[in-house]
Amino acid sequence: MANAGLALGTAPPRDPAWRGRVTATVVALIILWPTLVMTEFKPWQLLDAQSLDSTWRFLSAFFPPAHSREFLLLVLEATWQTIAMATAGMALAMAGAIPLTLIVNEHLSISRLGSGRMSAPAWLIRQTVRWLLVLLRSVPELVWALIFVRIVGLGPTAAVLAIALTYCGMLGKVYAEILESSDTHATDTLLRNGSGRLAAFFYGTLPGAATELMSYTVYRWECAIRGSVVMGYVGAGGLGQRMDESTKMLAGSEVSTMLIVFVLLVAAADVVSKLFRKGLS
């Protein structure tokens, strides 16, 4: 029957959404093209003979990776320092983010019970804390690291403080969104029956959001490890500083070893995240 319909000149059905797809593609190209021009995006330069030659000479030195005992001990020490910086920074960030999250969480506001609207002082306090979180996460950790390097000097302290400030803003924002999107029935019931805010949080809000909070926290710890590596380039120590030194010396085999360590660190963080989620579920 289909062949007969086509033979009689019946046109096949057209996709009703084709105009929207074509329009979206054209709009995306119109927006993307000026940005590519403005950023001088020229990927064909990678295929230039000189670029290909430099790339080949650098990458060919990646194999075999450096594996001397002395170098591996240096990498192990730098890796431990990187993990320590990320963990200490995250601990400080959580110490600041958790109380700030409890303040901005509207579901823990007693003044909104009954009327559904918070009082003016409660609203003002929450908005002030929200803007503080915006300020903290608006400045990248690398910029904070550059500032603290000028204040406290070179070393891991600058990286720890930089991670603490930026990640405090990030954790506070996402923690608040996770808690506010969770079921509030138990929390409201506890508050209406005279429970304190902390008790309502621990017994009403936290149980339903614990898995998601833990998953995001471990993910941010993984990001903090990567951030610690980047901050090593500005003198904060750890793997980043070692990699900066090896890159400047064009020691491809050493860079290769440290890249392998980066991959293993991220994989280990992923395993830790799965274990925590499994334990909480």
Side-chain angles (χ1 to χ4, degrees):
M1 293 297 292
N3 292 336
L6 291 175
L8 293 175
T10 303
R14 302 177 66 179
D15 183 1
W18 73 271
R19 287 189 177 87
R21 294 194 181 99
V22 171
T23 302
T25 302
V26 172
V27 171
L29 290 175
I30 292 174
I31 296 175
L32 182 61
W33 180 253
T35 60
L36 294 177
V37 173
M38 186 178 298
T39 56
E40 299 182 2
F41 182 66
K42 301 176 181 177
W44 54 85
Q45 290 181 346
L46 296 174
L47 302 178
D48 180 75
Q50 184 176 358
S51 298
L52 289 174
D53 181 63
S54 299
T55 302
W56 170 250
R57 283 189 287 106
F58 184 59
L59 293 180
S60 62
F62 274 39
F63 304 98
H67 54 277
S68 66
R69 183 176 182 275
E70 181 181 0
F71 178 72
L72 291 179
L73 289 176
L74 288 175
V75 171
L76 181 61
E77 180 182 359
T79 301
W80 175 247
Q81 190 177 53
T82 297
I83 297 174
M85 288 190 295
T87 305
M90 276 293 297
L92 291 176
M94 291 177 64
I98 291 175
L100 294 178
T101 301
L102 296 177
I103 293 175
V104 301
N105 188 356
E106 297 181 2
H107 297 318
L108 295 178
S109 174
I110 296 178
S111 63
R112 73 173 183 83
L113 294 177
S115 64
R117 299 178 60 182
M118 288 184 294
S119 63
W123 180 86
L124 182 60
I125 291 173
R126 281 171 172 78
Q127 291 304 312
T128 302
V129 174
R130 286 185 185 276
W131 278 106
L132 174 62
L133 294 175
V134 170
L135 173 64
L136 292 176
R137 68 176 182 271
S138 296
V139 182
E141 60 266 37
L142 184 59
V143 176
W144 282 122
L146 288 169
I147 294 174
F148 283 119
V149 162
R150 300 297 183 274
I151 297 174
V152 301
L154 300 175
T157 302
V160 171
L161 294 174
I163 291 173
L165 290 180
T166 300
Y167 281 57
C168 177
M170 293 179 178
L171 291 174
K173 175 183 182 297
V174 179
Y175 283 175
E177 291 179 349
I178 292 173
L179 294 176
E180 290 175 357
S181 63
S182 61
D183 185 17
T184 62
H185 177 71
T187 304
D188 292 342
T189 301
L190 288 170
L191 290 175
R192 287 194 182 97
N193 286 276
S195 172
R197 291 184 178 90
L198 285 179
F201 169 75
F202 282 112
Y203 294 104
T205 306
L206 185 59
T211 301
E212 193 172 355
L213 290 171
M214 179 59 67
S215 178
Y216 181 75
T217 301
V218 176
Y219 167 71
R220 271 296 154 197
W221 175 66
E222 174 189 324
C223 294
I225 292 176
R226 294 198 299 268
S228 300
V229 172
V230 174
M231 285 182 282
Y233 280 82
V234 298
L239 274 174
Q241 188 167 341
R242 292 291 181 188
M243 190 169 185
D244 182 36
E245 295 169 356
S246 298
T247 304
K248 289 178 179 177
M249 295 186 298
L250 297 178
S253 60
E254 296 181 359
V255 174
S256 177
T257 299
M258 286 182 278
L259 287 176
I260 293 173
V261 173
F262 295 164
V263 174
L264 294 177
L265 281 177
V266 174
D270 187 54
V271 172
V272 171
S273 177
K274 289 182 179 179
L275 290 175
F276 273 116
R277 288 198 302 268
K278 184 177 179 181
L280 288 173
S281 60

